Amino acid sequence: MVSVVYEAPDSIEGAVNLLANADVPAHILAGGTDLIIQTNGSSDAERLFVDVKKIAGMTEANLTDTALVLGPSMSCAAFTECDDIKAVFPGLVEAAYLIGSTQVQGRASVGGNLCNSSPAADTIPALIANGAQCVIAGPGGERTVPVEEFVTGVGRNCMEKGELLKQITIARPAANTSDAYLRFIPRTEMDIAVAGAGVSITLDDNGTCTAARVGIGAVAPTALLVPDAAAALVGSTLDDAALQAAADAASAASSPITDRRGTVEYRRQVVGVLVKRAATIAAERAKGG
Amino acid sequence: MAKSHVSTSINGEPVEYLCDPGDTLLDVLRNELQLTGTKEGCGSGDCGACSVTLNGRLVCSCLVLGVEAEGAEVGTIEGVGANDKLHVIQEKFLEHAALQCGVCTPGLIVSTKALLEENPNPTEEEARYYLAGNLCRCTGYDKIIRAVMDAAETMREGA
Ligand code: FES
Ligand code: FES
C-alpha cells in the first residue's frame, strides 16, 4: 500500500513551497476522482498529496463585467449550478456537466479535468473554444498559458515541479457571442468521449459570423484549437458550405487512434459532424434564440 | 506512518477518528467507525454503492480521503431513517421489491434522498439520469425507479 503524506495548506505560497520542496512524488489533490484511483495501483512507497481546496478562491467562480475567474477545484456540481455563468458560457457548463456521475460531479472539477490532461477530457475543447487562460503559480511567481498550450501530451501538461494551477480565466465575450460543446458517446450518459467539439461564435447584427474558435477533443493526443475550422466560419452566415468547410478542417486537423471506442476513420468523420452541429447551436444561442 | 486525527460530523453527531492519510472515507466509515451500511462495490468511483453526502453534496466515499472529512458534515445511510422508523424511501424500496442482494441499496437510497432534496418532483428521465452512477447487478433498475417515483410522490404529499 502507498503511504500518503497529506497536507492542506491555506495559501498558494504554502502549496507551492510544499510542492517545490517535496522529495517524494508530489500530487495536487483537488476532487481526487482521478488521483485517488491512480494512486491505488501505484508502486511508490510514499507520496505527498497537497490538498488545494482550503486555499481561498480555489473552489469559487466569479463572473465579473470583464471576465470569468474560475477556481480550478470548484466541483462541477457547484459550477453547473451557477446560472449567471451558464447564461454566458452555456457550452462550457454543458461540458462540465458531462463529466461522470452525480457522485463524481460532487468532487470532480474543471481544473482537475484540465490537469489530468486526458485526450478525451470534455472541458478542454470547451475551454479552448472560449479562449481560456491558465494562471499558474510557482516558485518563480506566476505565468499565464493559453489553455490550448497547457496540455502537452497524453496525461501530460506544461506544469513544472512546484507549480500549481491557480485560476482559469476567460474574458467576457463580445456581444452576440455564445458557445456549445458536443461529444459523441455510444451510450446516453457516463461514458468517455469518442470525439468532442467546442465552438464559440460571434455574430454581427446581420447574422454574419465575425469571430469563431473551434476546439476538438479525443481525436489527437491533446485537445486541439483548429484555426482553419474557425476561419471557414468567419465571414459566413453559417450556411451549409461554410459548416462543411469547418467540418472538413476539423477532420483534417485530427489524428485519432483506433481503439474499442472507435476507429480512426469514424472519429475523423464524427468530429467534423460535431463541429458543424456545435457551431449551429452556438450561433442560435448567439442570436439569443 | 503517523496517523492523522480527524474531527468531523457524521449524521449530525460529532465524531473523531484516527486514520492513515491514504485511507479513503469509505475505509474509515466501514473499518474504523463500524458504519458498515455504506458498501464497497468497485472502489473506483464507478458503482455508487459507497455514496454518502459530504457537506450536502453526493459523492463516492471511495474517492474521498478520510482526512478530507476534517471539519465537514458527512451523511451516510445510517442517518437516513430513525432507529425504529424507516424513511419513506426505504419503505418504498421494500414495497416495490427494489432490491435483491442489497449491495447497491444503501447507495441508491442515499442518492435518492439527495435527488429528492434537490428536485422533489423529478421526471422518470431525470431520476434515471441522476441515479446513473448507482449500478445494480440484480434488479434491472425498473423496480428501483418505480420505488423512487413513488417515494417522491409520497414525500410531496406529506410535505
Ligand atoms: S465503491 Fe465507490 S463507486 Fe464503487
Ligand atoms: S440488488 Fe443486488 S446489486 Fe442491486
Side-chain angles (χ1 to χ4, degrees):
Chain A
M1 205 188 100
V2 205
S3 122
V4 171
V5 176
Y6 172 86
E7 297 282 356
D10 60 7
S11 69
I12 293 284
E13 298 69 37
V16 166
N17 263 331
L18 285 162
L19 293 165
N21 298 320
D23 44 19
V24 296
H27 302 271
I28 296 163
L29 173 64
T33 54
D34 290 304
L35 180 64
I36 292 174
I37 300 170
Q38 286 158 5
T39 322
N40 273 342
S42 138
S43 55
D44 286 316
E46 196 171 297
R47 292 193 171 213
L48 171 68
F49 281 7
V50 179
D51 184 347
V52 293
K53 296 189 293 299
K54 304 257 155 75
I55 300 171
M58 269 291 174
T59 57
E60 288 162 21
N62 205 346
L63 182 64
T64 70
D65 288 346
T66 55
L68 168 64
V69 179
L70 173 59
S73 308
M74 181 185 208
S75 72
C76 289
F79 179 64
T80 55
E81 280 169 12
C82 298
D83 290 335
D84 56 337
I85 298 172
K86 208 170 174 176
V88 181
F89 302 107
L92 176 60
V93 173
E94 280 160 0
Y97 190 74
L98 290 174
I99 301 173
S101 61
T102 313
Q103 287 86 337
V104 168
Q105 293 267 317
R107 296 264 294 169
S109 58
V110 174
N113 195 227
L114 178 57
C115 290
N116 189 53
S117 304
S118 159
D122 286 306
T123 59
I124 302 179
L127 289 168
I128 290 176
N130 283 297
Q133 301 285 321
C134 309
V135 182
I136 300 171
E142 283 184 14
R143 61 188 178 114
T144 301
V145 175
V147 71
E148 59 271 21
E149 290 166 25
F150 182 87
V151 182
T152 53
V154 177
R156 289 208 315 271
N157 58 52
C158 70
M159 286 205 295
E160 307 281 349
K161 181 170 180 186
E163 287 191 323
L164 154 81
L165 182 61
K166 180 187 165 182
Q167 275 171 2
I168 298 168
T169 60
I170 304 179
R172 215 184 229 276
N176 304 322
T177 300
S178 196
D179 70 333
Y181 174 76
L182 293 175
R183 72 171 179 188
F184 177 77
I185 56 173
R187 305 196 290 180
T188 55
E189 167 52 295
M190 303 262 300
D191 207 342
I192 295 169
V194 172
V199 180
S200 167
I201 298 281
T202 306
L203 299 176
D204 69 10
D205 292 338
N206 305 319
T208 301
C209 174
T210 56
R213 281 177 68 95
V214 175
I216 56 176
V219 289
T222 68
L224 300 173
L225 173 69
V226 192
D228 289 350
L233 298 172
V234 172
S236 79
T237 52
L238 301 169
D239 51 281
D240 290 349
L243 289 170
Q244 189 55 49
D248 292 345
S251 298
S254 70
S255 56
I257 56 165
T258 293
D259 65 10
R260 66 197 158 92
R261 294 178 193 286
T263 61
V264 166
E265 296 76 8
Y266 184 71
R267 284 192 150 112
R268 203 168 262 153
Q269 164 89 21
V270 167
V271 76
V273 174
L274 293 175
V275 165
K276 262 196 228 179
R277 291 182 188 169
T280 307
I281 295 169
E284 282 304 315
R285 289 173 173 168
K287 278 179 207 153
Chain B
M1 166 90 324
K3 296 234 177 202
S4 300
H5 178 261
V6 176
S7 305
T8 186
S9 151
I10 299 181
N11 302 324
E13 300 277 328
V15 175
E16 305 203 7
Y17 55 81
L18 293 172
C19 68
D20 278 333
D23 286 347
T24 64
L25 179 59
L26 175 63
D27 296 331
V28 171
L29 290 171
R30 290 185 55 84
N31 304 337
E32 210 55 53
L33 303 174
Q34 276 69 56
L35 290 169
T36 54
T38 304
K39 303 302 179 199
E40 173 163 15
C42 61
S44 56
D46 294 300
C47 77
C50 65
S51 298
V52 301
T53 56
L54 182 68
N55 295 328
R57 289 261 177 232
L58 189 67
V59 300
C60 295
S61 59
C62 71
L63 295 183
V64 178
L65 296 178
V67 281
E68 288 184 89
E70 172 67 38
E73 292 192 4
V74 179
T76 72
I77 183 66
E78 285 85 356
V80 173
N83 261 345
D84 50 358
K85 192 169 169 9
L86 294 177
H87 190 279
V88 178
I89 299 168
Q90 292 171 312
E91 281 174 1
K92 292 300 174 190
F93 267 63
L94 284 175
E95 222 172 89
H96 289 265
L99 61 148
Q100 290 176 37
C101 79
V103 171
C104 69
T105 313
L108 268 159
I109 287 171
V110 167
S111 300
T112 302
K113 186 162 172 259
L115 161 68
L116 299 181
E117 274 163 13
E118 242 173 71
N119 178 3
N121 194 3
T123 63
E124 179 177 325
E125 191 179 355
E126 285 168 342
R128 283 184 186 269
Y129 269 98
Y130 193 95
L131 300 173
N134 290 87
L135 304 187
C136 173
R137 289 289 284 119
C138 306
T139 63
Y141 300 102
D142 210 59
K143 291 179 174 188
I144 293 172
I145 293 298
R146 275 186 247 163
V148 170
M149 298 309 285
D150 191 2
E153 197 184 327
T154 309
M155 285 167 69
R156 284 197 305 277
E157 282 162 3

